[in-house]
Amino acid sequence: MDSASDAGPSSSAPLSRYESQKRRDWNTFLQYLRNHKPPLTLARCSGAHVIEFMKYLDQFGKTKVHIVGCSYFGHPNPPAPCACPLKQAWGSLDALIGRLRAAYEENGGHPESNPFGARAVRIYLREVREGQAKARGIPYEKKKRKRSTVTVSAVSSSGGGEVSVANGNDDGGDYTAMGGEAGSSSLTSITTTTHVTTTNL
């Protein structure tokens, strides 16, 4: 099926929430480049400009990030308000950069020159995550990928064995967005039949 035949139906079909947000983010970034002093073209945009853009967005943030001198520094649920600034949450920035990275390539940019995938941007996002984790008392380190340990227990029975599999990660409900409800798995048990042949030596 060629692209020309696809143009009709796709143009009338409503965009998904992700595609709509990606388009808004892309237009916002292009507007930022136009208003930059001096104005910037997309071709001259670097990872440093992307970081500048993220810092600019902090003024519209809604996440309280405590400064080091604040008595609520490291407190996940402060009992009272404080004068610490509101910033963009790390998760919002991370998702934003993912959308802009995709939009850049969809609009003709080359992956190897994608400023949203620059090493400096990744380092900045990591620093924001770690800084907000300390300031807000959020244990982001729990979400780091670690090698899964699988515990297998088998119970013998006449028809075979029931094998139960448990994930040894202590991640709790951190990954609910990836697979629906955390802790509920469609794999409850596996029944296996084992044939053993013994040979007398």
Side-chain angles (χ1 to χ4, degrees):
M1 191 178 293
D2 58 36
S3 58
S5 61
D6 289 342
S10 61
S11 60
S12 59
L15 293 174
S16 67
R17 182 178 177 184
Y18 170 79
E19 291 296 331
S20 297
Q21 185 65 58
K22 183 170 62 175
R23 179 178 290 183
R24 284 195 298 271
D25 292 338
W26 183 244
N27 289 334
T28 300
F29 183 72
L30 294 181
Q31 183 67 40
Y32 173 78
L33 293 184
R34 285 193 293 269
N35 294 337
H36 194 274
K37 305 294 183 187
L40 278 170
T41 62
L42 192 59
R44 291 179 51 229
C45 181
S46 67
H49 297 120
V50 174
I51 293 172
E52 215 176 77
F53 176 64
M54 287 190 282
K55 290 179 178 179
Y56 159 78
L57 291 177
D58 272 337
Q59 64 184 302
F60 308 110
K62 298 179 181 178
T63 299
K64 178 77 73 174
V65 180
H66 303 291
I67 60 175
V68 176
C70 178
S71 58
Y72 299 139
F73 183 85
H75 198 302
N77 297 300
C82 64
C84 292
L86 295 174
K87 294 188 176 184
Q88 293 287 343
W90 164 77
S92 298
L93 290 176
D94 189 54
L96 169 72
I97 294 304
R99 291 190 296 268
L100 289 174
R101 186 174 182 174
Y104 177 85
E105 295 177 17
E106 288 170 7
N107 285 276
H110 298 291
E112 59 272 13
S113 61
N114 193 328
F116 302 100
R119 184 171 181 270
V121 173
R122 294 196 301 271
I123 291 172
Y124 177 78
L125 283 171
R126 185 169 68 240
E127 289 174 349
V128 169
R129 183 185 71 174
E130 292 172 355
Q132 290 191 4
K134 290 177 183 175
R136 301 176 62 222
I138 302 172
Y140 280 125
E141 63 274 11
K142 284 184 64 180
K143 294 190 178 183
K144 287 182 181 175
R145 288 188 179 275
K146 37 188 181 179
R147 188 170 295 177
S148 295
T149 55
V150 177
T151 305
V152 179
S153 59
V155 180
S156 299
S157 64
S158 58
E162 184 179 282
V163 181
S164 61
V165 182
N167 190 341
N169 281 347
D170 186 27
D171 291 328
D174 288 342
Y175 295 99
T176 53
M178 295 177 63
E181 296 180 1
S184 63
S185 173
S186 58
L187 176 64
T188 53
S189 64
I190 306 172
T191 303
T192 60
T193 305
T194 305
H195 298 284
V196 180
T197 303
T198 56
T199 305
N200 293 327
L201 298 178

